[in-house]
Amino acid sequence: MNDENTRENEGTKIPVSFIEQIIIDDLKEGRNNGRIHTRFPPEPNGYLHIGHAKAICLDFGMAEKYGGKCNLRFDDTNPVKEEIEYIDSIREDIHWLGFDWEDREYFASDYFGKLYDFAIDLINRGLAYVDDQPSDLIAQQKGSPTQPGIESPFRNRPPDENLDLFRRMNEGEFDEGSRVLRAKIDMKNPNMHMRDPIIYRIIKAPHHRTGNKWKVYPMYDFAHGQCDFFEGITHSLCTLEFEVHRPLYDWFTDKLMTSSYRPRQIEFNRLNLTYTVLSKRKLLELVREGKVRGWDDPRMPTLCGLRRRGYTPEAIKRFIEMIGYTKFEAINDISLLEHAVREDLNMRAPRVFGVLKPLKVIITNYPEEKTEEVTIINNPEDESMGSRNIPFSRELYIERDDFMEDPPNKFFRLAPDREVRLKGAFIIKCESYRKNETTGIIEEVYCTYDPDTRSGANNSQKKVKGTLHWVSVRHAIDAEVRIYDRLFNHEDPTGQKDDYHKFLNSDSLQILKGCKLEPSLRSARPLDRFQFQRLGYFCVDYDSSEDNPVFNQTVSLRDSWSKMRK
Ligand code: ATP
Ligand code: MG
């Protein structure tokens, strides 16, 4: 392989994907006049998920890299399941990922006329016929991969009769399911998809774009390849399950072709993620059954869910680059995605102080009315992000977990007679504490501070092992913080004998109220992302307001992926 055909990945050069190599070769050979034109063809029957992002990055990414174009085409061949809401969300999500289809937005329904004419043409050429049998009987007669199918008694209907019946099917004369149009190919073909596939069925529901104009609708297999052809697509990239459909698409294209141009379909492996379901049907079930709070619930693998959770498009793209495109089905580890999110947010998220489970600390030798400002660097990874001042005073909140009455030796946080540094401020020593004897809950901790230990001051040479984050009681803002765990507690919830519902994690959402945040967060806006120091990355939720700030946990700081590789 050429040296130029490699890409960087974490410092090592790895070959370009097999698909990119095919594109490079096709362009070199001048195939289809040296053009590259791809398309992303979602069915508008649900919201896009991270699996779709893998297809989007390839379709748009290859066109962008090699000076071509990528169309957006809504595959709206089934009027029953599709909704405008989904169309809008698909547009929004592709733009969010950073891709644009300019004026090339199409719908499979734009081609209903052309597809109908093509069906008529096939009938005239003796290559399609109307079958009056019910679909379950047709399915039975298909045989099996090792057994040839049985020809329909209607297979040799003369073209005139087929034409007449097909027209009347479209005029609404017959009931749904009473007749279909089939391509006349080969009932013995080892590829089941070639055994006289159904290409049109009667559906009497109105279509969101064509209204009541049509009573017959093309099957996906009859529409997809031809739509590619009509749009001048050169590389039709799709997932592996379509590999067995390719001979059928080619059969239709052969019948349409008038020049040497033809789209080339190349299949790649789907994205599957551990602890996740990636099927629009199942995701819709979770929404309808109220298992999640909607398509954009931050636990959902949908792009709008990941966005609300605080994931960035850059992190998603980086993850997709890391897993690559192959011909082999696999399940990708969700911790790799989380790793990509952390790496990205580490560079861009300002550090702030937030206390999720507050415990009050009183500094007994600090003046009651006094407030002083301490300066904290916003992001040690990026000096250009500057610093900010936060107020320090006599009463502070620290994290409840950062105090222990009776700690083991290795506990380097606060405990009776022990010292810690309050980040950016002073060293404090715990002198005593008050405990509610009935509940056993520690209510307040009393400390003294050493004024000579202020961070950054020349004389602050004293060293202690633990550093805690804190928020001044008087200045704190109250917030709700939503902590998320995986939606499923099984690595492969859909690959089991039991229904996937059985593996829903009942503790996937934990709502913490009364969290205490530093005052600078008052101006944070939905989707702003932060690192709460020592805790993880968080992002402002859409439900947030000045009166009731709400944050979503994006990801914790613990990187199980990096650990695994060490
Ligand atoms: P689902 O199974 O989730 O309902 P789908 O394949 O029916 O998805 P479409 O809207 O038809 O969804 O998909 C649009 C494009 O996205 C197709 O080209 C499809 O191959 C691709 N795609 C869908 N799911 C994945 C995935 N998990 N990984 C990679 N590509 C995917
Ligand atoms: Mg589909």
Side-chain angles (χ1 to χ4, degrees), residues 177-357:
S178 65
R179 283 186 169 83
V180 292
L181 185 70
R182 297 176 72 179
K184 189 170 175 179
I185 307 181
D186 175 9
M187 288 305 287
K188 298 191 182 65
N189 198 299
N191 182 332
M192 301 278 288
H193 297 281
M194 300 295 276
R195 294 186 185 173
D196 291 12
I198 296 175
I199 58 177
Y200 264 94
R201 70 246 205 249
I202 302 170
I203 299 178
K204 292 194 169 170
H207 186 279
H208 71 110
R209 298 191 87 229
T210 57
N212 291 312
K213 181 165 181 207
W214 303 96
K215 300 284 185 290
V216 290
Y217 288 90
M219 300 298 287
Y220 179 83
D221 274 352
F222 189 66
H224 192 76
Q226 280 95 284
C227 291
D228 283 347
F229 183 84
F230 297 145
E231 288 177 14
I233 300 304
T234 59
H235 297 84
S236 179
L237 313 175
C238 62
T239 35
L240 285 174
E241 70 270 24
F242 293 104
E243 189 163 13
V244 286
H245 298 245
R246 188 176 354 121
L248 178 59
Y249 298 165
D250 287 345
W251 189 89
F252 292 132
T253 311
D254 284 344
K255 307 290 175 266
L256 271 173
M257 270 172 72
T258 50
S259 69
S260 66
Y261 156 69
R262 69 151 65 222
R264 174 170 194 174
Q265 176 173 305
I266 310 166
E267 306 86 11
F268 60 90
N269 62 333
R270 287 179 88 82
L271 169 62
N272 299 300
L273 269 188
T274 53
Y275 300 100
T276 309
V277 305
L278 284 185
S279 132
K280 281 182 278 185
R281 188 179 60 75
K282 295 192 177 96
L283 295 174
L284 177 62
E285 277 171 11
L286 295 174
V287 172
R288 292 221 169 121
E289 294 161 1
K291 305 286 188 231
V292 292
R293 298 170 152 196
W295 282 100
D296 68 349
D297 185 301
R299 291 166 291 179
M300 291 279 270
T302 49
L303 294 177
C304 55
L306 297 175
R307 173 161 71 238
R308 189 168 182 180
R309 177 87 176 248
Y311 283 31
T312 59
E314 291 79 6
I316 292 172
K317 287 181 185 168
R318 177 83 185 109
F319 164 68
I320 285 166
E321 202 178 287
M322 288 193 282
I323 60 173
Y325 298 85
T326 75
K327 278 280 188 189
F328 306 99
E329 288 298 0
I331 301 191
N332 300 107
D333 193 328
I334 196 168
S335 65
L336 180 60
L337 172 61
E338 290 164 351
H339 167 77
V341 172
R342 273 185 204 100
E343 297 248 291
D344 185 47
L345 293 181
N346 180 39
M347 301 310 295
R348 67 170 79 221
R351 276 56 172 166
V352 293
F353 289 173
V355 174
L356 299 189
K357 295 182 182 157

Side-chain angles (χ1 to χ4, degrees), residues 251-535:
W251 189 89
F252 292 132
T253 311
D254 284 344
K255 307 290 175 266
L256 271 173
M257 270 172 72
T258 50
S259 69
S260 66
Y261 156 69
R262 69 151 65 222
R264 174 170 194 174
Q265 176 173 305
I266 310 166
E267 306 86 11
F268 60 90
N269 62 333
R270 287 179 88 82
L271 169 62
N272 299 300
L273 269 188
T274 53
Y275 300 100
T276 309
V277 305
L278 284 185
S279 132
K280 281 182 278 185
R281 188 179 60 75
K282 295 192 177 96
L283 295 174
L284 177 62
E285 277 171 11
L286 295 174
V287 172
R288 292 221 169 121
E289 294 161 1
K291 305 286 188 231
V292 292
R293 298 170 152 196
W295 282 100
D296 68 349
D297 185 301
R299 291 166 291 179
M300 291 279 270
T302 49
L303 294 177
C304 55
L306 297 175
R307 173 161 71 238
R308 189 168 182 180
R309 177 87 176 248
Y311 283 31
T312 59
E314 291 79 6
I316 292 172
K317 287 181 185 168
R318 177 83 185 109
F319 164 68
I320 285 166
E321 202 178 287
M322 288 193 282
I323 60 173
Y325 298 85
T326 75
K327 278 280 188 189
F328 306 99
E329 288 298 0
I331 301 191
N332 300 107
D333 193 328
I334 196 168
S335 65
L336 180 60
L337 172 61
E338 290 164 351
H339 167 77
V341 172
R342 273 185 204 100
E343 297 248 291
D344 185 47
L345 293 181
N346 180 39
M347 301 310 295
R348 67 170 79 221
R351 276 56 172 166
V352 293
F353 289 173
V355 174
L356 299 189
K357 295 182 182 157
L359 172 63
K360 199 189 255 188
V361 167
I362 298 173
I363 302 173
T364 52
N365 61 340
Y366 195 90
E368 245 172 74
E369 298 306 321
K370 183 173 170 179
T371 296
E372 66 190 287
E373 304 254 297
V374 302
T375 303
I376 310 270
I377 288 173
N378 287 332
N379 189 346
E381 303 287 341
D382 181 356
E383 267 181 30
S384 72
M385 290 171 72
S387 60
R388 70 194 182 287
N389 287 345
I390 56 175
F392 182 90
S393 66
R394 176 183 161 95
E395 298 195 356
L396 309 168
Y397 292 116
I398 63 164
E399 211 66 62
R400 203 158 263 287
D401 289 350
D402 284 337
F403 176 80
M404 271 183 100
E405 255 183 299
D406 190 13
N409 269 346
K410 289 241 157 127
F411 185 81
F412 297 124
R413 293 170 271 166
L414 199 60
D417 286 329
R418 295 202 190 173
E419 289 184 309
V420 293
R421 172 169 291 285
L422 293 176
K423 190 164 175 63
F426 301 96
I427 292 177
I428 58 169
K429 181 176 179 196
C430 172
E431 309 287 353
S432 62
Y433 59 93
R434 179 159 62 85
K435 181 170 164 176
N436 179 324
E437 288 307 332
T438 344
T439 59
I441 292 175
I442 311 284
E443 292 184 329
E444 282 177 352
V445 176
Y446 306 103
C447 296
T448 50
Y449 87 117
D450 177 352
D452 293 335
T453 57
R454 188 171 163 147
S455 292
N458 289 337
N459 54 358
S460 69
Q461 298 306 328
K462 193 166 173 182
K463 289 266 183 298
V464 287
K465 282 207 166 140
T467 301
L468 309 186
H469 61 279
W470 51 274
V471 174
S472 160
V473 170
R474 210 184 315 144
H475 305 91
I477 46 180
D478 275 303
E480 174 180 323
V481 176
R482 301 174 183 168
I483 307 283
Y484 300 103
D485 196 355
R486 289 171 181 159
L487 195 49
F488 293 92
N489 51 28
H490 194 291
E491 272 202 347
D492 182 13
T494 50
Q496 308 309 309
K497 268 203 304 292
D498 290 303
D499 180 84
Y500 72 95
H501 285 87
K502 191 177 163 202
F503 306 106
L504 272 166
N505 173 7
S506 54
D507 291 325
S508 58
L509 169 63
Q510 195 192 345
I511 297 178
L512 301 176
K513 302 228 182 199
C515 303
K516 306 291 179 182
L517 309 182
E518 66 167 73
S520 74
L521 288 169
R522 200 181 298 282
S523 56
R525 294 287 161 264
L527 299 192
D528 285 353
R529 308 176 186 92
F530 301 91
Q531 185 195 97
F532 287 9
Q533 291 223 294
R534 300 178 59 230
L535 298 174

